[in-house]
Coordinates of all heavy atoms in Angstrom, one line a residue:
M1 N 207.8 111.9 80.8 CA 206.7 111.2 81.4 C 206.0 111.9 82.5 O 206.8 112.5 83.4 CB 207.1 109.7 81.8 CG 206.0 108.9 82.4 SD 206.7 107.3 83.0 CE 206.4 106.4 81.5
K2 N 204.7 111.9 82.6 CA 204.1 112.6 83.7 C 204.4 111.9 85.0 O 204.6 110.6 85.1 CB 202.5 112.5 83.4 CG 202.1 113.4 82.3 CD 200.6 113.4 82.2 CE 200.2 114.3 81.1 NZ 198.7 114.2 81.0
I3 N 204.3 112.7 86.1 CA 204.6 112.1 87.4 C 203.5 111.1 87.8 O 203.9 110.0 88.4 CB 204.8 113.2 88.4 CG1 206.0 114.1 88.0 CG2 205.0 112.7 89.8 CD1 206.2 115.4 88.8
S4 N 202.3 111.4 87.6 CA 201.2 110.5 87.9 C 201.4 109.2 87.2 O 201.0 108.2 87.8 CB 199.8 111.2 87.7 OG 199.7 111.5 86.4
A5 N 201.8 109.2 86.0 CA 202.0 108.0 85.2 C 203.1 107.2 85.8 O 203.1 105.9 85.9 CB 202.3 108.3 83.7
R6 N 204.2 107.8 86.3 CA 205.3 107.1 86.9 C 204.8 106.5 88.2 O 205.3 105.4 88.5 CB 206.5 108.1 87.2 CG 207.2 108.6 85.9 CD 208.2 109.7 86.1 NE 209.1 109.5 87.2 CZ 209.9 110.4 87.7 NH1 209.8 111.6 87.3 NH2 210.7 110.1 88.7
I7 N 204.0 107.2 89.0 CA 203.5 106.6 90.2 C 202.6 105.4 89.9 O 202.8 104.4 90.6 CB 202.8 107.7 91.1 CG1 203.7 108.8 91.5 CG2 202.1 107.1 92.2 CD1 203.0 110.1 92.1
D8 N 201.8 105.6 88.9 CA 200.9 104.4 88.6 C 201.7 103.2 88.2 O 201.4 102.1 88.5 CB 200.0 104.8 87.4 CG 198.9 105.8 87.8 OD1 198.6 105.9 89.0 OD2 198.4 106.5 86.9
R9 N 202.8 103.4 87.4 CA 203.7 102.3 87.0 C 204.3 101.7 88.2 O 204.4 100.4 88.3 CB 204.7 102.8 86.0 CG 205.5 101.7 85.4 CD 206.5 102.1 84.4 NE 207.6 102.7 85.2 CZ 208.3 103.8 84.8 NH1 208.0 104.5 83.7 NH2 209.3 104.2 85.6
L10 N 204.8 102.5 89.2 CA 205.4 101.9 90.4 C 204.3 101.1 91.2 O 204.6 100.1 91.8 CB 206.0 103.0 91.3 CG 207.3 103.7 90.7 CD1 207.6 105.0 91.5 CD2 208.4 102.8 90.7
I11 N 203.1 101.6 91.3 CA 202.0 100.9 92.0 C 201.8 99.6 91.4 O 201.6 98.5 92.0 CB 200.8 101.8 92.1 CG1 201.0 103.0 93.1 CG2 199.7 101.0 92.6 CD1 199.9 104.0 93.2
E12 N 201.7 99.6 90.0 CA 201.4 98.3 89.3 C 202.5 97.3 89.5 O 202.2 96.1 89.6 CB 201.3 98.7 87.8 CG 200.0 99.4 87.4 CD 199.9 99.9 86.0 OE1 200.8 99.6 85.2 OE2 198.9 100.6 85.7
E13 N 203.8 97.8 89.6 CA 204.9 96.8 89.9 C 204.7 96.1 91.2 O 205.0 94.9 91.3 CB 206.2 97.6 89.8 CG 206.6 98.0 88.4 CD 207.9 98.7 88.4 OE1 208.6 98.8 89.4 OE2 208.2 99.3 87.3
L14 N 204.3 96.9 92.2 CA 204.0 96.3 93.5 C 202.9 95.4 93.5 O 203.0 94.3 94.1 CB 203.8 97.4 94.6 CG 204.9 98.1 95.2 CD1 204.5 99.1 96.2 CD2 205.9 97.1 95.9
E15 N 201.8 95.7 92.8 CA 200.7 94.8 92.7 C 201.0 93.6 91.9 O 200.4 92.5 92.3 CB 199.5 95.6 92.1 CG 199.0 96.7 93.0 CD 197.9 97.5 92.3 OE1 197.7 97.5 91.1 OE2 197.2 98.3 93.0
K16 N 201.9 93.6 91.0 CA 202.3 92.4 90.3 C 203.0 91.4 91.3 O 202.9 90.2 91.1 CB 203.2 92.7 89.1 CG 202.5 93.2 87.9 CD 203.5 93.6 86.8 CE 202.8 94.2 85.6 NZ 203.7 94.6 84.6
R17 N 203.7 92.0 92.2 CA 204.4 91.2 93.2 C 203.5 90.8 94.4 O 204.0 90.3 95.4 CB 205.7 91.9 93.7 CG 206.7 92.1 92.7 CD 207.9 92.6 93.3 NE 207.7 94.0 93.7 CZ 208.6 95.0 94.1 NH1 209.8 94.6 94.0 NH2 208.3 96.1 94.4
K18 N 202.2 91.2 94.2 CA 201.2 90.8 95.3 C 201.5 91.6 96.6 O 201.3 91.0 97.7 CB 201.1 89.4 95.5 CG 200.8 88.6 94.1 CD 199.8 87.5 94.4 CE 199.6 86.6 93.2 NZ 199.0 87.2 92.0
Q19 N 202.0 92.8 96.5 CA 202.2 93.7 97.6 C 201.4 94.9 97.6 O 201.2 95.4 96.5 CB 203.7 94.1 97.7 CG 204.6 92.9 97.9 CD 206.1 93.3 97.9 OE1 206.4 94.4 97.5 NE2 206.9 92.5 98.4
K20 N 200.8 95.3 98.7 CA 199.9 96.4 98.7 C 200.7 97.7 98.9 O 201.5 97.7 99.8 CB 198.9 96.3 99.8 CG 197.9 97.4 99.9 CD 197.0 97.2 101.1 CE 196.1 98.4 101.1 NZ 195.9 98.9 102.4
P21 N 200.6 98.7 98.1 CA 201.3 100.0 98.3 C 200.8 100.7 99.5 O 199.6 100.8 99.8 CB 201.0 100.8 97.0 CG 199.8 100.2 96.5 CD 199.7 98.8 96.9
E22 N 201.7 101.0 100.4 CA 201.4 101.7 101.7 C 201.6 103.2 101.6 O 200.8 103.9 102.1 CB 202.2 101.2 102.8 CG 202.0 99.8 103.3 CD 200.7 99.6 104.1 OE1 200.5 100.5 104.9 OE2 200.0 98.7 104.0
H23 N 202.7 103.6 100.9 CA 202.9 105.1 100.8 C 203.6 105.4 99.5 O 204.3 104.6 99.0 CB 203.9 105.6 102.0 CG 203.2 105.5 103.3 ND1 203.4 104.4 104.1 CD2 202.5 106.3 104.0 CE1 202.7 104.6 105.2 NE2 202.1 105.8 105.2
V24 N 203.4 106.6 99.1 CA 204.1 107.2 97.9 C 205.0 108.2 98.5 O 204.6 109.1 99.3 CB 203.2 107.9 96.9 CG1 204.0 108.6 95.8 CG2 202.2 106.9 96.3
I25 N 206.4 108.1 98.3 CA 207.3 109.0 98.9 C 207.9 109.8 97.8 O 208.4 109.2 96.8 CB 208.4 108.2 99.7 CG1 207.8 107.4 100.8 CG2 209.5 109.2 100.2 CD1 208.8 106.5 101.5
M26 N 207.9 111.1 97.9 CA 208.4 111.9 96.8 C 209.1 113.1 97.4 O 208.8 113.6 98.5 CB 207.3 112.4 95.8 CG 206.2 113.2 96.3 SD 205.0 113.7 95.1 CE 204.2 112.2 94.7
G27 N 210.1 113.6 96.6 CA 210.8 114.8 97.0 C 210.0 116.0 96.9 O 209.0 116.1 96.2
K28 N 210.5 117.1 97.5 CA 209.8 118.4 97.5 C 209.5 118.9 96.0 O 208.5 119.4 95.7 CB 210.6 119.4 98.3 CG 209.8 120.6 98.7 CD 210.4 121.5 99.8 CE 212.0 121.6 99.6 NZ 212.6 122.5 100.6
K29 N 210.6 118.9 95.2 CA 210.5 119.4 93.8 C 209.5 118.6 93.0 O 208.6 119.1 92.3 CB 211.9 119.3 93.2 CG 211.9 119.9 91.8 CD 213.2 119.8 91.2 CE 213.2 120.2 89.7 NZ 214.4 119.9 89.0
I30 N 209.6 117.2 93.2 CA 208.7 116.4 92.5 C 207.2 116.6 92.9 O 206.3 116.5 92.1 CB 209.1 114.9 92.6 CG1 210.4 114.7 91.9 CG2 208.0 113.9 92.0 CD1 211.1 113.3 92.1
A31 N 207.1 116.8 94.2 CA 205.7 117.0 94.8 C 205.1 118.3 94.2 O 203.9 118.3 93.9 CB 205.8 117.0 96.3
T32 N 205.9 119.3 94.1 CA 205.4 120.6 93.5 C 205.0 120.3 92.1 O 203.9 120.8 91.7 CB 206.5 121.7 93.7 OG1 206.9 121.8 95.0 CG2 206.0 123.0 93.1
E33 N 205.8 119.6 91.3 CA 205.4 119.4 89.9 C 204.2 118.5 89.9 O 203.3 118.7 89.0 CB 206.6 118.7 89.2 CG 207.8 119.6 89.1 CD 209.0 118.8 88.5 OE1 208.8 117.7 88.1 OE2 210.1 119.4 88.5
W34 N 204.0 117.5 90.8 CA 202.9 116.7 90.8 C 201.6 117.4 91.1 O 200.6 117.2 90.5 CB 203.1 115.5 91.8 CG 202.0 114.6 92.0 CD1 201.5 113.7 91.1 CD2 201.1 114.5 93.2 NE1 200.4 113.0 91.6 CE2 200.2 113.5 92.9 CE3 201.1 115.2 94.3 CZ2 199.2 113.2 93.8 CZ3 200.1 114.9 95.3 CH2 199.2 113.8 95.0
L35 N 201.7 118.3 92.1 CA 200.6 119.2 92.4 C 200.1 120.0 91.3 O 198.9 120.2 91.0 CB 200.8 120.0 93.7 CG 200.9 119.2 95.0 CD1 201.4 120.1 96.1 CD2 199.5 118.7 95.3
I36 N 201.1 120.6 90.6 CA 200.7 121.4 89.4 C 200.1 120.6 88.3 O 199.1 121.0 87.8 CB 202.0 122.1 88.9 CG1 202.5 123.2 89.9 CG2 201.8 122.7 87.5 CD1 203.9 123.7 89.5
E37 N 200.6 119.4 88.1 CA 200.0 118.4 87.1 C 198.6 118.1 87.5 O 197.7 118.1 86.6 CB 201.0 117.2 87.0 CG 200.4 116.2 86.1 CD 201.4 114.9 86.2 OE1 202.6 115.1 86.1 OE2 200.9 113.8 86.4
M38 N 198.4 117.8 88.7 CA 197.0 117.4 89.2 C 196.1 118.5 89.1 O 194.9 118.3 88.7 CB 197.1 116.8 90.6 CG 198.0 115.6 90.8 SD 197.4 114.2 89.8 CE 196.1 113.6 90.9
S39 N 196.5 119.7 89.4 CA 195.6 120.9 89.3 C 195.2 121.3 87.9 O 194.1 121.6 87.6 CB 196.2 122.1 90.1 OG 197.4 122.6 89.5
R40 N 196.2 121.0 87.0 CA 195.9 121.3 85.6 C 194.9 120.3 85.0 O 194.1 120.7 84.2 CB 197.2 121.2 84.7 CG 198.1 122.4 84.9 CD 199.2 122.4 84.0 NE 200.1 123.5 84.2 CZ 201.4 123.6 83.9 NH1 202.0 122.5 83.4 NH2 202.1 124.7 84.1
Q41 N 194.9 119.1 85.6 CA 194.0 118.1 85.1 C 192.6 118.2 85.8 O 191.7 117.6 85.5 CB 194.5 116.7 85.3 CG 195.7 116.4 84.5 CD 196.3 115.0 84.9 OE1 195.8 114.3 85.8 NE2 197.4 114.7 84.2
G42 N 192.5 119.1 86.8 CA 191.3 119.3 87.6 C 191.1 118.3 88.6 O 189.9 118.1 89.1
L43 N 192.0 117.5 89.0 CA 191.9 116.4 89.9 C 192.1 116.8 91.3 O 191.8 116.1 92.3 CB 192.8 115.3 89.6 CG 192.7 114.6 88.2 CD1 193.7 113.6 88.0 CD2 191.3 114.0 88.1
I44 N 192.6 118.0 91.5 CA 192.8 118.6 92.8 C 192.7 120.1 92.8 O 193.0 120.7 91.8 CB 194.2 118.2 93.4 CG1 194.4 118.4 94.8 CG2 195.3 118.9 92.6 CD1 195.7 117.9 95.4
E45 N 192.1 120.7 93.9 CA 192.0 122.1 93.9 C 193.0 122.7 95.0 O 193.0 122.2 96.1 CB 190.6 122.6 94.2 CG 189.6 122.4 93.1 CD 188.3 123.0 93.4 OE1 188.2 123.9 94.3 OE2 187.3 122.5 92.8
L46 N 193.8 123.6 94.6 CA 194.7 124.2 95.6 C 194.1 125.6 95.9 O 194.1 126.5 95.1 CB 196.1 124.4 95.0 CG 196.8 123.1 94.5 CD1 198.1 123.4 93.8 CD2 197.0 122.2 95.7
N47 N 193.6 125.7 97.1 CA 193.0 126.9 97.5 C 193.5 127.3 99.0 O 194.4 126.7 99.4 CB 191.4 126.8 97.5 CG 191.0 125.6 98.3 OD1 191.6 125.1 99.2 ND2 189.8 125.1 97.9
A48 N 192.8 128.2 99.6 CA 193.3 128.7 100.8 C 193.0 127.8 102.1 O 193.2 128.3 103.2 CB 192.6 130.1 101.1
S49 N 192.5 126.6 101.8 CA 192.1 125.8 102.9 C 193.3 125.2 103.7 O 193.2 124.7 104.8 CB 191.2 124.6 102.4 OG 192.0 123.8 101.6
R50 N 194.5 125.3 103.1 CA 195.7 124.9 103.7 C 195.7 123.4 104.1 O 196.2 123.0 105.1 CB 196.0 125.8 104.9 CG 196.0 127.2 104.6 CD 197.2 127.7 103.9 NE 198.4 127.7 104.7 CZ 199.6 128.0 104.2 NH1 199.7 128.2 102.9 NH2 200.6 127.9 104.9
K51 N 195.1 122.6 103.3 CA 195.1 121.1 103.5 C 196.3 120.5 102.9 O 196.6 120.6 101.8 CB 193.8 120.5 102.9 CG 193.7 119.0 103.2 CD 192.6 118.4 102.4 CE 192.7 116.9 102.4 NZ 191.7 116.3 101.5
F52 N 197.1 119.9 103.8 CA 198.3 119.3 103.3 C 198.4 117.8 103.4 O 199.5 117.2 103.5 CB 199.5 119.9 104.1 CG 199.7 121.4 103.9 CD1 199.4 122.3 104.9 CD2 200.1 121.8 102.7 CE1 199.5 123.6 104.6 CE2 200.3 123.2 102.4 CZ 200.0 124.1 103.4
R53 N 197.3 117.2 103.2 CA 197.3 115.7 103.1 C 196.8 115.3 101.8 O 195.7 115.6 101.4 CB 196.3 115.1 104.2 CG 196.8 115.3 105.6 CD 195.9 114.6 106.6 NE 196.4 115.0 107.9 CZ 196.1 114.3 109.0 NH1 195.3 113.2 108.9 NH2 196.6 114.6 110.2
F54 N 197.7 114.6 101.1 CA 197.5 114.3 99.7 C 197.5 112.7 99.5 O 198.2 112.1 100.3 CB 198.5 115.0 98.7 CG 198.4 116.5 98.8 CD1 199.4 117.1 99.5 CD2 197.4 117.2 98.3 CE1 199.4 118.5 99.5 CE2 197.3 118.5 98.4 CZ 198.4 119.2 99.0
S55 N 196.9 112.2 98.5 CA 196.9 110.8 98.2 C 196.9 110.6 96.7 O 196.4 111.5 96.0 CB 195.9 110.1 98.9 OG 194.6 110.4 98.4
H56 N 197.3 109.5 96.2 CA 197.3 109.2 94.8 C 196.6 107.8 94.7 O 197.2 106.8 95.3 CB 198.7 109.1 94.2 CG 198.7 108.9 92.7 ND1 198.4 109.8 91.8 CD2 198.8 107.7 92.1 CE1 198.4 109.2 90.6 NE2 198.7 108.0 90.7
R57 N 195.5 107.7 94.1 CA 194.7 106.5 94.0 C 194.5 105.9 95.4 O 194.6 104.6 95.6 CB 195.4 105.5 93.1 CG 195.3 105.9 91.6 CD 196.0 105.0 90.7 NE 195.9 103.6 90.9 CZ 196.6 102.7 90.3 NH1 197.3 103.0 89.3 NH2 196.4 101.4 90.6
G58 N 194.3 106.7 96.4 CA 194.0 106.2 97.7 C 195.3 105.8 98.6 O 195.2 105.4 99.7
V59 N 196.5 106.0 98.0 CA 197.7 105.7 98.7 C 198.2 107.1 99.2 O 198.5 108.1 98.4 CB 198.8 105.1 97.8 CG1 200.0 104.8 98.5 CG2 198.2 103.8 97.1
P60 N 198.5 107.2 100.5 CA 199.0 108.5 101.1 C 200.3 108.9 100.5 O 201.2 108.0 100.3 CB 199.1 108.2 102.6 CG 198.3 106.9 102.8 CD 198.3 106.2 101.5
V61 N 200.5 110.2 100.3 CA 201.7 110.7 99.8 C 202.6 111.4 101.0 O 202.0 112.1 101.7 CB 201.5 111.8 98.7 CG1 202.8 112.5 98.3 CG2 200.7 111.2 97.5
I62 N 203.8 111.0 101.1 CA 204.7 111.6 102.0 C 205.8 112.4 101.2 O 206.3 111.9 100.3 CB 205.5 110.5 102.8 CG1 204.5 109.7 103.6 CG2 206.5 111.1 103.7 CD1 205.1 108.6 104.3
V63 N 205.9 113.7 101.6 CA 206.9 114.5 100.9 C 208.2 114.7 101.8 O 208.0 114.9 103.0 CB 206.3 116.0 100.7 CG1 207.3 116.9 100.0 CG2 205.0 115.8 99.9
C64 N 209.3 114.5 101.2 CA 210.6 114.6 101.9 C 211.5 115.6 101.2 O 211.2 116.1 100.2 CB 211.3 113.2 102.1 SG 211.7 112.5 100.5
E65 N 212.7 115.8 101.8 CA 213.6 116.8 101.3 C 214.4 116.2 100.0 O 214.7 117.0 99.1 CB 214.6 117.2 102.3 CG 214.1 118.1 103.4 CD 213.7 119.5 102.9 OE1 214.5 120.0 102.0 OE2 212.8 120.0 103.4
S66 N 214.8 114.9 100.0 CA 215.6 114.4 99.0 C 214.8 114.3 97.7 O 213.6 114.3 97.6 CB 216.1 113.0 99.3 OG 215.1 112.2 99.5
E67 N 215.5 114.1 96.5 CA 214.8 114.0 95.3 C 214.5 112.5 95.0 O 215.4 111.8 94.4 CB 215.7 114.6 94.1 CG 215.8 116.1 94.2 CD 214.4 116.8 94.1 OE1 213.6 116.4 93.3 OE2 214.2 117.6 95.0
I68 N 213.5 112.0 95.5 CA 213.1 110.6 95.4 C 211.7 110.5 94.9 O 210.8 111.3 95.2 CB 213.3 109.9 96.7 CG1 213.1 108.4 96.6 CG2 212.4 110.5 97.7 CD1 213.4 107.6 97.9
L69 N 211.4 109.4 94.2 CA 210.0 109.1 93.9 C 209.9 107.6 94.0 O 210.5 106.8 93.2 CB 209.6 109.5 92.5 CG 208.2 109.1 92.1 CD1 207.1 109.7 93.0 CD2 207.9 109.5 90.7
E70 N 209.2 107.1 95.0 CA 209.1 105.7 95.3 C 207.8 105.4 95.9 O 207.1 106.2 96.6 CB 210.2 105.3 96.3 CG 210.4 103.9 96.6 CD 211.0 103.1 95.4 OE1 211.8 103.7 94.7 OE2 210.5 102.0 95.1
V71 N 207.3 104.1 95.6 CA 206.1 103.7 96.2 C 206.5 102.4 97.0 O 207.2 101.5 96.5 CB 205.0 103.2 95.1 CG1 203.8 102.5 95.8 CG2 204.6 104.4 94.3
V72 N 206.2 102.5 98.3 CA 206.8 101.4 99.2 C 205.6 100.6 99.8 O 204.5 101.1 100.1 CB 207.6 102.0 100.3 CG1 208.9 102.6 99.8 CG2 206.8 103.0 101.1
P73 N 205.9 99.3 99.9 CA 204.9 98.4 100.6 C 205.0 98.5 102.1 O 205.8 99.3 102.6 CB 205.2 97.0 100.1 CG 206.7 97.1 99.9 CD 207.0 98.5 99.4
N74 N 204.3 97.7 102.8 CA 204.5 97.6 104.2 C 205.9 97.2 104.6 O 206.5 96.4 103.8 CB 203.5 96.5 104.7 CG 203.4 96.5 106.2 OD1 204.4 96.3 106.9 ND2 202.2 96.7 106.7
A75 N 206.4 97.7 105.7 CA 207.8 97.4 106.0 C 208.1 96.0 106.2 O 209.2 95.5 106.1 CB 208.1 98.2 107.3
R76 N 207.1 95.2 106.5 CA 207.2 93.7 106.7 C 207.8 93.1 105.4 O 208.6 92.2 105.5 CB 205.9 93.1 107.1 CG 205.8 91.6 107.1 CD 204.5 91.2 107.6 NE 203.4 91.7 106.7 CZ 202.6 91.0 105.9 NH1 202.8 89.7 105.9 NH2 201.8 91.5 105.1
H77 N 207.3 93.5 104.3 CA 207.7 93.0 103.0 C 209.2 93.4 102.7 O 209.9 92.7 102.1 CB 206.8 93.5 101.8 CG 205.5 92.9 102.0 ND1 205.1 91.6 101.8 CD2 204.3 93.5 102.2 CE1 203.8 91.5 102.0 NE2 203.3 92.6 102.2
L78 N 209.6 94.6 103.1 CA 210.9 95.1 102.9 C 212.0 94.3 103.8 O 213.1 94.1 103.3 CB 211.1 96.5 103.2 CG 210.2 97.5 102.3 CD1 210.3 98.9 102.9 CD2 210.7 97.4 100.9
L79 N 211.5 93.8 104.9 CA 212.5 93.1 105.8 C 212.7 91.7 105.5 O 213.5 91.0 106.1 CB 212.0 93.3 107.2 CG 212.1 94.8 107.7 CD1 211.5 94.9 109.2 CD2 213.5 95.4 107.7
E80 N 211.8 91.1 104.7 CA 211.8 89.7 104.4 C 213.0 89.4 103.4 O 213.5 90.1 102.7 CB 210.6 89.2 103.7 CG 209.5 89.2 104.7 CD 208.1 88.7 104.1 OE1 208.1 88.7 102.8 OE2 207.2 88.6 104.8

């Protein structure tokens, strides 16, 4: 399954629970694969501009060291 499709599915699950997605958190390896996938589809251009702020459907993407792919709501919803 494509990474963007997995992210879309996670976002839809949050929206079904009436929670707004705040961030997409993904590991470094997954982020690299996602960037390649997006550039092949022509949705993003990787050039020498060195811009390292990415988003998926308007939701900011955070890249971390671990191998994770998660869409998280506001922390207020997680603490309830």
Side-chain angles (χ1 to χ4, degrees):
M1 176 182 271
K2 292 183 178 182
I3 296 170
S4 57
R6 290 172 48 197
I7 296 171
D8 289 339
R9 191 178 74 218
L10 291 170
I11 289 173
E12 288 171 4
E13 288 176 12
L14 276 180
E15 289 173 348
K16 284 180 186 176
R17 294 186 294 194
K18 306 222 187 290
Q19 296 176 344
K20 182 182 177 221
E22 290 282 326
H23 293 93
V24 176
I25 303 173
M26 61 177 72
K28 191 167 45 172
K29 181 181 175 193
I30 295 172
T32 304
E33 293 173 11
W34 176 71
L35 288 171
I36 292 169
E37 177 183 311
M38 298 298 279
S39 65
R40 284 184 181 156
Q41 294 175 359
L43 300 174
I44 194 170
E45 285 187 26
L46 300 176
N47 51 26
S49 68
R50 308 287 287 172
K51 178 184 171 195
F52 294 110
R53 292 185 183 200
F54 301 106
S55 64
H56 182 82
R57 288 177 41 185
V59 181
V61 173
I62 298 174
V63 180
C64 63
E65 288 289 327
S66 65
E67 292 302 314
I68 187 173
L69 178 60
E70 189 69 39
V71 177
V72 293
N74 190 302
R76 174 177 56 114
H77 296 291
L78 296 174
L79 297 174
E80 290 177 352

